[in-house]
Amino acid sequence: MSSRTFRPDPTFYPSPSMAQSAPRETLAYVVEIDATGRTPDALVVLDLDPSSPTYAQEVGRLDMPNLGDELHHFGWNACSAALCPTMPHPHVERRYLLVPGLRSSRLYIIDIKPDPRQPTIHKIIEPQELEAKTGYSRPHTVHCGPDAVYMNALGSPSGDGPGGIFVLDHTTFDIKGAWEKNRGPQHLSYDFWWHLGHDTMLTSEWGTPNMVEQGLNPEILLAGGYGHSLHVWNMRTREHVKTLDLGAEQQMVLELRPAHDPRQTYGFVGVVTSLADLSASVWLWHLDGTEWKIQKVIEVPAEPADPADLPPLLQGFGAVPPLITDINLSLDDQFLYVSCWGTGELRQYDVSNPFEPRLAGSVHLGGIVRRTGHPRSDEPLTGGPQMVEVSRDGQRVYVTNSLYASWDDQFYPAGIRGWAAKLDVQPGGGLTLDPDFLVDFGEKRAHQVRLQGGDASSDSFCYPNP
Amino acid sequence: MNDAVTWPALLLLGGLHGLNPAMGWLFAVALGLQQRAPKAVWRALLPIALGHALSILLVLLLVGLAGLVLDGQVLRWVGAGAILAFGAYKLLRPDAHPRWVGMKVGFRDLTLWSFLMSTAHGAGLMLLPLVLPPSGHADALHHAAHSGHLMPSTAPVWAGLGAVAVHTLGMFTVMASVALLVYHYVGLTILRQAWVNLDRVWAAALLAAGTATLLWR
């Protein structure tokens, strides 16, 4: 039972505009992967308090009890959606991180309450239980919903499709089962999120486990076989409503970032690459009357490169693709951050007018060819800005550099040394590197960052901004 | 049913139910904000009150039907047992209720939502000590012996409907007042500052109602 009686969890905010006033984060949680599988993956705690002597250092960690999980995306058991009026649970706590192993299909429920710097394992759900109760494997994205924790999975236990969403109780963590009642043509799975104010769920497409686990398969890619659609769902009936096809040349439609204001009906999705010219893009979905539509609003071109500087996979193209692997939207819905993992760039777009994004800032770090360094590193950086997380007040942006172990090795064959960096957002737009913040994970790889108390991609809201 | 305690108590319990954000005022506020219209708050309050009333009515009907076949004292024991068991359940599993993921709702949806939430929270059960017939004489307010007259078989139907009406009036008045105050003056910040864990209050109220059913009159 929750220990809270008189006030809701103080990290819950009714509206996104109220969440922007949250106190500054002082800790970050990062999943750290051993790509060799020789030591366990870990959840690492970073100190984000600039007045602390251990600023930008590891101050705690939890090593998993198994090898080879490949921890990936993770999320909270509860968040601001618990205040939603349809069934408010304001006294449930944002206390547990649900951390799935993308390769092992094992799910760790991690308690950060007794000591936020020393997380402990509260419960482990083994892959057999996940498979038996949902028919899914390779759990991927976690979102705390109004009524439960929602997670999705890339595919079936055999490694084929379909992938989809399943639901867990947000206090007992019992798996309640698969979410979809009628999936229609949906088969591939990657990300999901929703417009709570409009009873609408959106899901995106990568590939089945068999299509992605051995690395990017050039044959599938050139045949346009990876995901190129977005799916719209009715959240109440749990039925597929519409497929928004971006065209087969748009390969890998990944991260979904709906507007945080629940009155709005638009959002952004990143596309890794185009078969036509290796460009990457961001598309805008929006509700036009009663019809959901999608259009390209950002295109980042590939950069010409000497084939000698490129990994074997790209040598034939003579260009380095930007590879938009993650995007993130500030809580005020004003700035969209776009990771170009291939060229090693984080871009900031002003999306006040979502139909016409305007480039407002850019920082280079790493990159396949560019290998931009950092003031705190003697060596050029490997990898590039990949997972990106924005603080609730929108003033700080954190990035990590690893994508997915087998894909890291294809695009950065010399190896990736894990790092996390911080960028500062200038008032009104513009990005600068924090020269004092670089966390070196050594031979281990850093994937997603979550900020203590919530961040710009951890909460959803039922009450509109004023 | 006509004593000086029952009717005010029905009204006050209605007020308690109206105070609970999970019973409707919060939904009405959210719909008003989403549609940027105070009218939307009002439009939501009526079906929410109707759904609540239907839930109460259902419980009274079931009690009435049970009263046709059960002895008054047995009915009181069964009723008290049901409330106590439900109260204990709500204490242990406050989250257990129908899942309703939807903000685009019309009159029928809201009525159904309110009916389901009220029923799942045992709103009607909480009224049982007031509407079950006294163990002794119908007009007695004392701990009397058994073989009482059952309300459903002796009291006219209008008494049951009256109970629903009075309770719903209390519920509606408080719910509407809170919804309009929050929408127009207080604002959403109140949700972060003053939201007592009503799940626990509610469970305690159910347990108290069960105890009262056993001991009162």
Side-chain angles (χ1 to χ4, degrees), chain B residues 119-132:
Chain B
T119 307
H121 282 81
L125 287 177
M126 220 181 276
L127 306 189
L128 286 195
L130 299 170
V131 298
L132 277 174

Side-chain angles (χ1 to χ4, degrees), chain B residues 177-200:
Chain B
S177 306
V178 176
L180 293 168
L181 267 177
V182 171
Y183 182 85
H184 285 292
Y185 304 108
V186 179
L188 292 174
T189 311
I190 191 76
L191 301 185
R192 294 178 35 76
Q193 293 169 342
W195 195 332
V196 176
N197 193 336
L198 276 165
D199 290 331
R200 291 186 193 175

Side-chain angles (χ1 to χ4, degrees), chain B residues 132-157:
Chain B
L132 277 174
S135 308
H137 301 293
D139 59 346
L141 251 178
H142 56 81
H143 298 274
H146 326 289
S147 68
H149 299 258
L150 293 182
M151 178 274 286
S153 55
T154 56
V157 173

Side-chain angles (χ1 to χ4, degrees), chain A residues 279-443:
Chain A
S279 64
S281 53
V282 175
W283 296 58
L284 175 81
W285 75 78
H286 62 104
L287 185 62
D288 184 4
T290 57
E291 195 181 352
W292 290 94
K293 294 180 175 173
I294 194 159
Q295 68 187 69
K296 190 195 290 186
V297 290
I298 294 171
E299 184 175 300
V300 183
E303 297 178 3
D306 183 345
D309 294 335
L310 291 170
L313 187 71
L314 297 174
Q315 280 168 353
F317 298 99
V320 57
L323 304 175
I324 293 179
T325 49
D326 194 18
I327 60 175
N328 211 312
L329 183 62
S330 59
L331 277 178
D332 58 6
D333 295 330
Q334 191 185 352
F335 291 114
L336 184 74
Y337 296 88
V338 177
S339 282
C340 300
W341 187 64
T343 45
E345 183 182 12
L346 185 77
R347 291 187 170 206
Q348 180 199 43
Y349 287 90
D350 184 335
V351 290
S352 307
N353 176 358
F355 291 88
E356 290 181 10
R358 182 179 61 79
L359 187 63
S362 161
V363 164
H364 284 282
L365 283 171
I368 293 171
V369 173
R370 198 176 272 115
R371 302 177 74 208
T372 308
H374 190 284
R376 290 185 73 87
S377 172
D378 299 330
E379 303 282 322
L381 293 185
T382 52
Q386 205 280 111
M387 291 307 288
V388 48
E389 196 48 72
V390 184
S391 65
R392 287 164 296 181
D393 60 11
Q395 293 179 20
R396 292 163 304 284
V397 178
Y398 300 89
V399 290
T400 46
N401 69 327
S402 164
L403 176 63
Y404 183 51
S406 54
W407 292 46
D408 289 349
D409 298 340
Q410 285 177 302
F411 288 96
Y412 291 89
I416 277 187
R417 190 177 173 90
W419 51 261
K422 168 175 166 276
L423 312 165
D424 293 309
V425 178
Q426 305 309 304
L431 269 181
T432 54
L433 188 67
D434 178 348
D436 296 324
F437 194 109
L438 183 75
V439 183
D440 183 354
F441 292 86
E443 300 299 316

Side-chain angles (χ1 to χ4, degrees), chain A residues 70 79 88 189 237 382:
Chain A
E70 185 139 18
C79 56
S189 171
T237 63
T382 52

